[in-house]
Amino acid sequence: MSAVAEMKCIHTGGVTYAVSVKKNLWDILTLVFLFLNISARLPILLQCSVVLQGIILIVLFGCFFLFVYPHSFKVLLFLFACSLPWYGSHSYHLHNIVFELFISVLSIICLIQKRQGKKFDSVKNRLSYPIISYILLACFSLLLLPVSHIGNIVHLWGWRDFFSAVLQAPPESILYPLSAVNRLLLFFVFIRQVSTHPDHKQLFRFLFSGLVTGAVVAAFLGILNHYHWFSLDWFRDTVASGTRLQSVFGNPGWFSEFLAISIPFILIGFLTPKINRITKLMLFGVLIICEMAIILTYSRTGWLIYPLVLVSCWFVFYLSRKIEAGALSWRAVGKTSIKVIVSVPLTVLISYFLVTGIVRQDNSGTAGLLQQRFAKISNPAARKKIWQESIAIGREAPFFGLGYESYKHQVLTLASIPGSLYSKKRQIKNINFDTPHNHFLQIFVSNGIVGLFFWLSIVSYAMVILFYDLKAKKNYFNIAVMLSIIAFHQYGLAQSMQYVGVIWFVIFLCFGYAMTLNENALPSGMRQAVTMIILFLFLLTIAGGGVYAGNFESQKLAEKYGLHAYGTDQDSDKYLGFYSEESWGKKGVFRWTGRKAIMKLNSHGIMEINYFCGAPGLNDNPLVLDVSRNGRFIDQITFWKNSLVTRKYFIPSVSGASGTQVELKVSRTWSPKKEGGGSDTRMLGIAVSEPHFFPLSGRVSLGCYGWQAADKGEGKPYRLLKYRWTRREAVLDLSSQAERPVALLLKSDQPYIKNHPVKVEFLQQDTLTDSFTLLDHHWKRITISGRVDYQKPLVIRVSRTWNPRREGYGDDPRDLGVAVALLPVENRENNPDLAVDK
């Protein structure tokens, strides 16, 4: 072998090795990402009904059954695509969590199948590059969120509760953009795995066939439900007002969107070779069913877009045969136009007469609503106002936007600023919409003009490569994909398509199919232009990262409007691990905690605070709240019922700038949505009011329950003994002791005290004065030997409390520390030295 040939061989081997390492690294990162998605969802799903858990287990078992029969993978994808309508709910609802779980599992199976076969289909075009640029831009824009606050949430709640909160975060939450970015990345990983699978053509055909099959079945079930011939209420968690058809979707408009972007794939049936008349009649009937469903959704946008989809489908159907036979001519186009002009109105009229005919029998008032909606079809007055308001929001950062999928957060924040452009332009005062009801404005607010350029680059490249592949290979299936992309963006003029995960997923399926087409079909000049555009997109991505980093946590907007922090809650840096504040009318402002939360206080004296527990099932499973100050426990509250509890704590002055931190930790969290309490998906602990401080003056005695008398004979030689139980921490007033040594009787009834002694500390100004250890259940007389300032309160701190009812020692629901009695003994009811909280 010559030296030159040997060098070429070494070079080729080195390149092959580098490519192999790159693919292995990509696969490892992909698996880590997918397994994290699965593990984050499992704790949520484990709290679901047993029936749903059983269904999920059966599906997962069926998925991994494919390792034995790998050729059945395309069938599984078909069934998965058929089920897509059943996930048509908000992106933060349980349906969507299950949907994304299945996507993660299917992606893993696809990746493992490729690894087992050791076949990797080479990437045929560069569509993935602008998609990756768009994802990176979205990730970088997360720097505009209150990152430090999110970091505190992770630290306080733990990863499990944090992931649960992210996956179920509503649009107004600062965690919602994190869920949206994860969804964006998850969809890309799925289409990347399928598009590089050796059998990708069959996989995508089965996916799109399942998609249109599921849409038709959902339309049929929706019609049956609409006329009360079959009920879907057992599945849906929301029911549309009036008589609008919504099928298994959470909203009629969403179902109309899904039908409009799915029906183009009916061309798979029309373009089947040697199609017979019976099949044609069946496909014609399918179109009638879908048209009826579109009409009954009363979606005006659907009424406008669906006829355009029909026109395109009929044109393709009639012309495809002429093109295959090489008989395409202007005369053929003219004849086809006549056929389309007849076919489209015919199907629409049949659908309309079927609907109105059934309406007359049903007598549900549907015809009147139909006429009302049709009269307003050219008057989108409300949407115009929303669009104008959305443009005003986007003008705050027109080039790189305000953060991916942060529209609702921006609406609430800017609405709270009277001087903001949005507040000045706002026309709809009483409603804060989740989205701008426009796909392009959603992107504009999220990532600005640059984000729009990124998205249009992705769509344009996909459409161009689909067209040129169609032209070169006569692959008419491309037309169905192109029609779906067009319908998606036509509907996007009146809806935010990212809002519902299933609808957002369909456009990624179209992109995934386009990623399988060979770029060589493009002219050489166009391929060079694609190269320049991709380089420009990466440069813009880097520039965007710099812009977002320079405006970390939207500090420039905060400075512009004179805010401490950009957001609705200006005290968020003082309340860590809390949800946003809520006004409870006369009760004041409350904030819900997660599993753990911290309040930062800069005041001292007597702090009064209210706790409310709304968790269900407290009688059998009480919620326990632990309260600590600067790392030391000061209280424990066991909630046996839904109640408002008021507490007063002594907060001594602390030197230094750090102030005082009060930490709250609950034994469990709960979700109102899961407990049937509405649409609130948050994982809640307890609600906490804003603290109120009172100066330290006069007699101060805190942290004890009411007076009790000792049993007969107990307390000898002191005869009748009156005492009070402390909580974790109590405050004793010494002003009446007249400089006498402080003498007390202490007692603990805690079980297993010999093995687990109870330590009692006495402090003043957070400085330890004396401490004692209780080893039995008898009264113990103690005298504080340390230096005591009688003009300052004496703090009694118990090492632990116990709850007799919770631990099975009777019905006493209180959290008890130690029993305390002052000496000498006298009746102190009128002038107590150890008082109870009012």
Side-chain angles (χ1 to χ4, degrees), residues 198-262:
D199 198 20
H200 57 75
K201 290 184 179 179
Q202 284 294 318
L203 296 185
F204 274 110
R205 282 187 175 271
F206 272 80
L207 276 168
F208 289 129
S209 298
L211 175 66
V212 71
T213 302
V216 173
V217 170
F220 182 68
L221 291 176
I223 292 171
L224 294 180
N225 177 81
H226 182 77
Y227 292 115
H228 311 293
W229 299 332
F230 178 77
S231 177
L232 290 171
D233 293 343
W234 57 271
F235 176 78
R236 298 185 310 213
D237 56 354
T238 58
V239 179
S241 59
T243 57
R244 297 179 63 184
L245 182 147
Q246 69 184 79
S247 186
V248 290
F249 272 71
N251 180 279
W254 302 343
F255 183 53
S256 177
E257 292 174 47
F258 186 78
L259 283 177
I261 62 179
S262 301

Side-chain angles (χ1 to χ4, degrees), residues 4-238:
V4 175
E6 187 176 350
M7 289 297 293
K8 286 184 178 180
C9 184
I10 293 173
H11 174 72
T12 304
V15 171
T16 303
Y17 175 75
V19 171
S20 177
V21 170
K22 181 181 177 181
K23 287 182 177 178
N24 289 336
L25 180 60
W26 168 257
D27 288 348
I28 291 172
L29 293 176
T30 301
L31 284 173
V32 170
F33 170 74
L34 294 173
F35 276 115
L36 282 175
N37 266 274
I38 293 173
S39 60
R41 285 167 172 76
L42 288 179
I44 301 173
L45 298 176
L46 289 174
Q47 300 179 32
C48 302
S49 66
V50 177
V51 175
L52 180 58
Q53 291 179 21
I55 293 173
I56 294 172
L57 285 175
I58 292 171
V59 172
L60 293 179
F61 177 79
C63 291
F64 289 101
F65 179 75
L66 292 170
F67 290 117
V68 182
Y69 298 100
H71 296 296
S72 302
F73 184 51
K74 56 180 177 287
V75 177
L76 180 64
L77 288 181
F78 174 82
L79 295 175
F80 167 69
C82 284
S83 71
L84 289 182
W86 298 85
Y87 314 121
S89 188
H90 293 94
S91 57
Y92 50 90
H93 277 192
L94 181 63
H95 302 161
N96 192 76
I97 293 173
V98 175
F99 164 59
E100 293 177 5
L101 173 72
F102 290 156
I103 289 179
S104 302
V105 173
L106 291 172
S107 299
I108 291 174
I109 294 173
C110 190
L111 190 153
I112 293 175
Q113 279 195 355
K114 292 191 302 181
R115 300 291 302 184
Q116 286 179 336
K118 296 184 179 179
K119 290 182 179 180
F120 296 89
D121 197 33
S122 59
V123 178
K124 293 184 171 63
N125 62 58
R126 293 170 288 176
L127 179 57
S128 60
Y129 295 157
I131 298 177
I132 291 172
S133 299
Y134 184 74
I135 293 173
L136 288 174
L137 190 73
C139 292
F140 290 152
S141 70
L142 297 180
L143 293 173
L144 300 177
L145 299 175
V147 178
S148 58
H149 184 65
I150 294 173
N152 287 322
I153 291 176
V154 176
H155 172 69
L156 292 170
W157 294 1
W159 287 105
R160 176 178 171 178
D161 279 10
F162 173 73
F163 283 137
S164 177
V166 168
L167 294 175
Q168 300 178 92
E172 63 269 19
S173 170
I174 59 172
L175 301 179
Y176 182 76
L178 300 180
S179 176
V181 166
N182 178 74
R183 189 174 307 111
L184 187 66
L185 187 55
L186 183 62
F187 290 173
F188 173 70
V189 167
F190 177 82
I191 63 171
R192 175 78 178 187
Q193 296 306 315
V194 177
S195 63
T196 55
H197 193 283
D199 198 20
H200 57 75
K201 290 184 179 179
Q202 284 294 318
L203 296 185
F204 274 110
R205 282 187 175 271
F206 272 80
L207 276 168
F208 289 129
S209 298
L211 175 66
V212 71
T213 302
V216 173
V217 170
F220 182 68
L221 291 176
I223 292 171
L224 294 180
N225 177 81
H226 182 77
Y227 292 115
H228 311 293
W229 299 332
F230 178 77
S231 177
L232 290 171
D233 293 343
W234 57 271
F235 176 78
R236 298 185 310 213
D237 56 354
T238 58

Side-chain angles (χ1 to χ4, degrees), residues 456-471:
L456 293 177
S457 298
I458 296 169
V459 175
S460 300
Y461 185 32
M463 292 293 287
V464 166
I465 200 167
L466 284 164
F467 173 77
Y468 275 96
D469 184 78
L470 168 67
K471 185 179 178 182

